[in-house]
Amino acid sequence: MSKKAGHQARKRFGQNFLHDPGVIERIIRAIHPKPDDAIVEIGPGLGAITEEILAVNPKLQVVELDRDLIPVLRTKFFNYPDFRIHEADALKFDFSQLVDTRPLRIIGNLPYNISTPLIFHLLSQTGVVQDMHFMLQKEVVQRMAAVSGDNNYGRLGIMTQYFCKVQPLFEVGPGAFRPAPKVDSAIVRLVPHKELPYPAKDLGTLQAVVRTAFNARRKTLRKALAGMVSVEQLQALGINDGLRPENLSLADFVSIADLLVSEKGSDITEEVSRGDSYD
């Protein structure tokens, strides 16, 4: 497919072009596009999914960083005058600017090398989103869907579940792509909560607590959150300070963050170390 279109996949963009018709069909069925949906595709590549969406929804918009792919897409879909291409980095793109009257339905085969920071970027814009369907590394989807006590449970899962319902749909093998990646992939559906199940008093404080905890995920809470939360404060919340961060639920982390806001204010976010992790 890449040779046919005269474009070779580029490692720096994390490109792996989907070509398997059966997988493409399953993805389209999962998305179930409708003519009046406000659909935005991130990283359309050579247009395998784009083509199927346009057949149903000719007003599809795409965000593509690789400028060499843009003329390929314009040529391939020249007969769709309402098809819009935004040449931009999705990591920096303000998706809210694309909202007209309907919330966005965002889809994409996301590059593995930026998938996690991109997910965090999109979570910050869920107020304008109806749902999201992504192809991601299987391990990333497992982390997004993990619950308390799982080895895959961490910051990514907690913050994704804070904003969205996470639904892993199906797995995709390397052979569905050119070039074939060295990992398995999976499709996930993210549906933003209409009402947050555990709304935090201050989102920045919640993010700081979760980040700090999982930067020391192998330590007990009394050590992982030392200097931020006292043993007495944890005990007052009914949380065992001898547990590890992976044993706490989303509700527990929100309780800790809310306590800090009540006692110290949201400036607690300034106390977080620069060390960062998406685990």
Side-chain angles (χ1 to χ4, degrees), residues 26-41:
R26 288 189 73 185
I27 293 172
I28 298 301
R29 283 205 308 266
I31 297 170
H32 192 54
K34 297 176 182 177
D36 56 348
D37 285 340
I39 304 178
V40 181
E41 182 181 9

Side-chain angles (χ1 to χ4, degrees), residues 81-96:
D82 294 325
F83 173 57
R84 291 181 60 193
I85 301 174
H86 303 274
E87 183 181 341
D89 183 350
L91 275 170
K92 303 174 183 177
F93 192 74
D94 178 9
F95 287 85
S96 65

Side-chain angles (χ1 to χ4, degrees), residues 89-133:
D89 183 350
L91 275 170
K92 303 174 183 177
F93 192 74
D94 178 9
F95 287 85
S96 65
Q97 67 180 294
L98 304 183
V99 178
D100 187 3
T101 58
R102 300 179 66 87
L104 303 179
R105 303 193 67 200
I106 303 178
I107 65 175
N109 173 19
L110 303 188
Y112 297 147
N113 57 343
I114 63 162
S115 61
T116 304
L118 182 53
I119 290 295
F120 273 89
H121 176 60
L122 292 166
L123 290 177
S124 70
Q125 303 185 53
T126 51
V128 299
V129 174
Q130 176 181 325
D131 59 24
M132 298 181 276
H133 291 80

Side-chain angles (χ1 to χ4, degrees), residues 17-271:
F17 298 127
L18 186 63
H19 71 87
D20 187 308
V23 172
I24 294 169
E25 182 182 354
R26 288 189 73 185
I27 293 172
I28 298 301
R29 283 205 308 266
I31 297 170
H32 192 54
K34 297 176 182 177
D36 56 348
D37 285 340
I39 304 178
V40 181
E41 182 181 9
I42 298 173
L46 294 170
I49 295 176
T50 314
E51 184 172 16
E52 302 299 323
I53 298 290
L54 279 170
V56 178
N57 186 314
K59 293 186 178 181
L60 171 68
Q61 300 186 70
V62 300
V63 178
E64 177 57 62
L65 178 60
D66 186 349
R67 65 182 60 184
D68 291 338
L69 277 175
I70 291 175
V72 175
L73 293 167
R74 291 197 191 284
T75 300
K76 185 172 183 177
F77 303 118
F78 74 94
N79 55 335
Y80 291 96
D82 294 325
F83 173 57
R84 291 181 60 193
I85 301 174
H86 303 274
E87 183 181 341
D89 183 350
L91 275 170
K92 303 174 183 177
F93 192 74
D94 178 9
F95 287 85
S96 65
Q97 67 180 294
L98 304 183
V99 178
D100 187 3
T101 58
R102 300 179 66 87
L104 303 179
R105 303 193 67 200
I106 303 178
I107 65 175
N109 173 19
L110 303 188
Y112 297 147
N113 57 343
I114 63 162
S115 61
T116 304
L118 182 53
I119 290 295
F120 273 89
H121 176 60
L122 292 166
L123 290 177
S124 70
Q125 303 185 53
T126 51
V128 299
V129 174
Q130 176 181 325
D131 59 24
M132 298 181 276
H133 291 80
F134 296 130
M135 174 92 74
L136 294 162
Q137 187 174 336
K138 177 182 173 182
E139 178 189 343
V140 174
V141 172
Q142 289 173 333
R143 286 162 53 201
M144 293 171 77
V147 297
S148 174
D150 288 356
N151 289 334
N152 291 313
Y153 186 65
R155 181 185 169 209
L156 176 62
I158 291 169
M159 296 314 303
T160 303
Q161 292 168 40
Y162 178 84
F163 288 104
C164 301
K165 179 180 179 182
V166 181
Q167 299 175 281
L169 299 181
F170 57 90
E171 298 177 10
V172 180
F177 304 90
R178 292 181 184 147
K182 296 179 181 179
V183 297
D184 288 332
S185 303
I187 300 292
V188 65
R189 176 185 292 134
L190 305 178
V191 182
H193 299 301
K194 291 182 179 179
E195 292 186 13
L196 296 176
Y198 304 104
K201 292 180 179 178
D202 181 77
L203 179 59
T205 302
L206 173 63
Q207 291 172 323
V209 170
V210 174
R211 183 187 298 117
T212 302
F214 283 97
N215 278 345
R217 63 179 300 140
R218 300 304 174 198
K219 296 182 179 180
T220 61
L221 290 172
R222 76 172 71 91
K223 294 181 179 179
L225 295 177
M228 178 179 274
V229 185
S230 70
V231 171
E232 290 74 23
Q233 287 174 314
L234 290 171
Q235 292 175 346
L237 293 172
I239 297 173
N240 183 348
D241 62 284
L243 295 175
R244 290 182 176 180
E246 65 190 33
N247 299 121
L248 267 61
S249 66
L250 168 59
D252 290 331
F253 280 108
V254 172
S255 295
I256 294 171
D258 284 355
L259 177 67
L260 292 177
V261 172
S262 297
E263 296 192 359
K264 296 186 179 182
S266 60
D267 62 342
I268 188 69
T269 56
E270 299 300 321
E271 299 179 21

